[in-house]
Amino acid sequence: MAALASTQSRRVSAETLGIGIAIVAAYGVVPLAGSDYLLDAVLTPFLALALAAVGLNVLTGYAGQVSLGSAAFLAVGAYAAYNLHLRIPGLPLLVDLVLAGSIAAAVGIVFGLPSLRLRGFYLAVSTLAAQFFVQWALTKFGWFSNDNASGVIDAPPLSIAGVSFTNPVERYVFSLTVVVVLSLVTLRLLRSQSGRNFVAVRDHEIAAKVIGVPILRTKLLAFGISSFLIGVAGVLWAFAYLRTVEPAGFNLDRSFQILFIIIIGGLASLRGSFVGAAFIVVFPLLLSRVGAALLGSVFDSGVLEMSQRILIGVLIIAFLIAEPRGLIALWDRTWARTWAAVWPAKHPTIPT
Amino acid sequence: MVDYQFLIEVLIGGLLSGVMYSLVAIGFVLIYKTSGVLNFAQGAMLLFAALTFVSLVERGAPFAAALVATLVIMVGLGITIERTVLRPLVNQPPITLFMATLGLSYVIEAAAQLLWGTQVHGLDIGISDTPFELAGVLISRFDLFAAAVAGALVTVFALFFRYTRTGLSFRAVADDQFAALAVGLRLPRVWAAVWTVAGIVALVGGLLWGARLGVQFSLSLVVLKALPVLVLGGFDSIAGAIVGGLLIGAIEKLAEVYVGPFFGGGIEAWAAYVVALALLLIRPSGLYGQKPVERV
């Protein structure tokens, strides 16, 4: 027992150490080393997408409910934050953020109701209803965009208690803080009874019901928390990254992108959400750089774009074949192997 | 007072356009039934088939030759997909396979446009789209032709499944993969055959949709029209795809005409999904879908 407890505590402290190092690196090193381009075009969208992926991972990876409507909740979050800011003067940013997330959560719970009856792909397709309905409502009713003729609205500047977050470094730090806090809370939640209920429902719904897991509450909680996180991610995406709010950015492709992130990164892994998001953000940038350098003089941009789409498609398939459990499983395996090579204590050599 | 003549006209228009949805949905059902994969790439295959055909015709190939050539290409595509995507992913969970077909749809869409260009092509398959009058109701000639093609396709499938050995093996695999494997059916071969058939369905659907909308990128988006049809009819029932298509087509048009004005129009995008959803709450496996038996 003692040995077991000690391994467990060592593992926990190793994890805490890992999270600590990641957070310190994210705060300390990056704002100093990063250029504005890196922060604006890579790191801030990475954070927003990673948070959205964490949200979807709670729902799909942990609770096993596939959703194809993530972008709808991003949009709900972004528009809710915009409207709250517009219509309630003097609303503090953090309250705005939480309220926007809560509105997204409420919408998520409504669209999560069918999950009580539907399974698998039937549910996945019905989440598309959220996607199309929300996008339609936001473009159709001018009230949401304050009757802006173009539908594209400028997001208000971010500021908390007189401290404003306007330049790329500040916006990055703001996003990072939100993402870190919410991810840690989510991690804690997943380790609680609710988190174990999610996994039980995912692995075998009927068995979970038999041992007394409240299915209704668990599923709706998963939808609520997931939509809350995605809603807040939507606020970050619109306010901190794009600084405009428009429905077109929250289309079906965005939903698929977030789904790609959690599949490529690793289902039921919060680290996987971050790794996947990093891959999805960095890869197209790299590809366009490399493509432009190698083929730019030969082909026009249309051909380049098509080749990129082909390559992304091929890579997704290749990843799924190589490691269906995602990049994070690949990383863990490599890490364990390297560790064993550096520190072969578990395989003592025979003394000669 | 309701204008009945107008109502009937809308209803018939809706039913006939629903047949077009069914044409796409059948391709999904074939693959889902035999391999449990929700093939999101069906729309991309539709685009690929239509674009290939049109480009061949525009380059001076006669109609029949272009048709045969496209058919051969679709068969090749089906076999390639089975080899490169499905076989390595055997035994993976359905969501993984679904993601793979999402990736596949990227590849096929982009490849089609890379090969044949991105401009919009007109496609004339020799059917005029002039409406004619039947008992005072205007009916589109083209829609009627599409319905006839869909009917013929379903009949051919019914006969094929009932009377051929390949059809029998399809049914066996759909019924129980392990049992089919145990009696010596070669699953990879059956899957390759199914994807080929789905490719042919995509060609038929692509030609009809292409003639209607013009052959262009947005053709691959008809997938999104076919999904509520599938949900409504059940993922694994061809009859469901037909009935679902008719229902969705009719409801969509009726809703747009009679309910739409209250919301300021444009509800076509989601009306079908909401209706399908409402029905699912009563029958969670669609109208004709198989109910899964669940045990602890």
Side-chain angles (χ1 to χ4, degrees), chain B residues 34 160-161 165-175 190 193-194 197:
Chain B
T34 44
F160 172 77
F161 277 112
R165 279 191 78 80
T166 320
L168 185 64
S169 64
F170 278 17
R171 280 190 290 149
V173 172
D175 224 29
V190 173
V194 170
V197 175

Side-chain angles (χ1 to χ4, degrees), chain A residues 31 34-41 43-44 165-175 240 243:
Chain A
S35 63
D36 278 4
Y37 169 78
L38 188 67
L39 288 166
D40 243 357
L43 290 173
T44 312
F165 299 88
T166 42
N167 70 31
V169 175
E170 288 161 356
R171 278 184 283 121
Y172 168 74
V173 170
F174 174 78
S175 310
R243 279 171 290 165

Side-chain angles (χ1 to χ4, degrees), chain A residues 57-66 120 123 198-199 201-203:
Chain A
N57 225 334
V58 169
L59 185 65
T60 302
Y62 286 91
Q65 314 294 311
V66 180
L123 177 65
F198 288 167
V199 175
V201 168
R202 173 194 70 192
D203 287 348

Side-chain angles (χ1 to χ4, degrees), chain B:
Chain B
M1 185 61 206
V2 182
D3 180 356
Y4 283 105
Q5 181 135 349
F6 180 62
L7 175 76
I8 291 172
E9 214 166 278
V10 172
L11 186 67
I12 290 182
L15 287 173
L16 289 174
S17 68
V19 171
M20 300 279 281
Y21 299 155
S22 301
L23 271 175
V24 185
I26 289 172
F28 277 94
V29 171
L30 280 172
I31 290 178
Y32 188 84
K33 215 169 149 59
T34 44
S35 50
V37 182
L38 179 61
N39 175 27
F40 199 82
Q42 189 69 27
M45 283 164 69
L46 207 105
L47 171 71
F48 186 84
L51 208 51
T52 307
F53 177 80
V54 163
S55 304
L56 286 175
V57 169
E58 276 175 4
R59 280 163 180 71
F63 191 90
L67 200 63
V68 170
T70 313
L71 215 56
V72 170
I73 291 173
M74 292 314 287
V75 170
L77 187 67
I79 294 172
T80 315
I81 290 172
E82 195 277 325
R83 275 288 157 93
T84 53
V85 181
L86 294 180
R87 203 175 290 184
L89 284 173
V90 160
N91 270 340
Q92 294 298 340
I95 176 73
T96 309
L97 285 161
F98 171 69
M99 293 296 298
T101 65
L102 263 179
L104 195 61
S105 74
Y106 271 51
V107 176
I108 297 177
E109 263 167 37
Q113 295 178 74
L114 199 57
L115 272 173
W116 305 115
T118 48
Q119 68 273 39
V120 180
H121 303 263
L123 172 60
D124 181 20
I125 50 175
I127 311 296
S128 72
D129 204 358
T130 50
F132 66 93
E133 210 175 300
L134 188 77
V137 178
L138 287 175
I139 298 175
S140 153
R141 214 177 288 268
F142 180 85
D143 280 346
L144 217 55
F145 173 75
V149 170
L153 203 64
V154 172
T155 316
V156 168
F157 276 135
L159 294 174
F160 172 77
F161 277 112
R162 185 84 185 75
Y163 293 109
T164 64
R165 279 191 78 80
T166 320
L168 185 64
S169 64
F170 278 17
R171 280 190 290 149
V173 172
D175 224 29
D176 190 329
Q177 285 195 9
F178 288 107
L181 204 57
V183 296
L185 285 176
R186 291 172 204 179
L187 280 186
R189 200 174 285 182
V190 173
W191 283 334
V194 170
W195 277 77
T196 302
V197 175
I200 295 168
V201 175
L203 173 61
V204 175
L207 291 184
L208 289 173
W209 274 99
R212 172 49 65 78
L213 301 176
V215 179
Q216 54 179 321
F217 173 72
S218 66
L219 210 54
S220 63
L221 297 179
V222 297
V223 177
L224 300 176
K225 288 282 181 199
L227 285 175
V229 172
L230 284 171
V231 169
L232 194 64
F235 280 122
D236 47 10
S237 161
I238 289 185
I242 299 289
V243 176
L246 292 175
L247 275 175
I248 292 285
I251 290 167
E252 216 176 58
K253 286 282 181 298
L254 290 175
E256 185 65 42
V257 171
Y258 290 103
V259 186
F262 297 111
F263 293 102
I267 65 169
E268 247 179 318
W270 53 268
Y273 281 91
V274 172
V275 170
L277 204 58
L279 185 115
L280 279 185
L281 292 178
I282 305 164
R283 292 183 69 93
S285 306
L287 286 173
Y288 296 92
Q290 227 170 41
K291 279 198 192 63
V293 179
E294 293 185 64
R295 295 188 183 84
V296 178

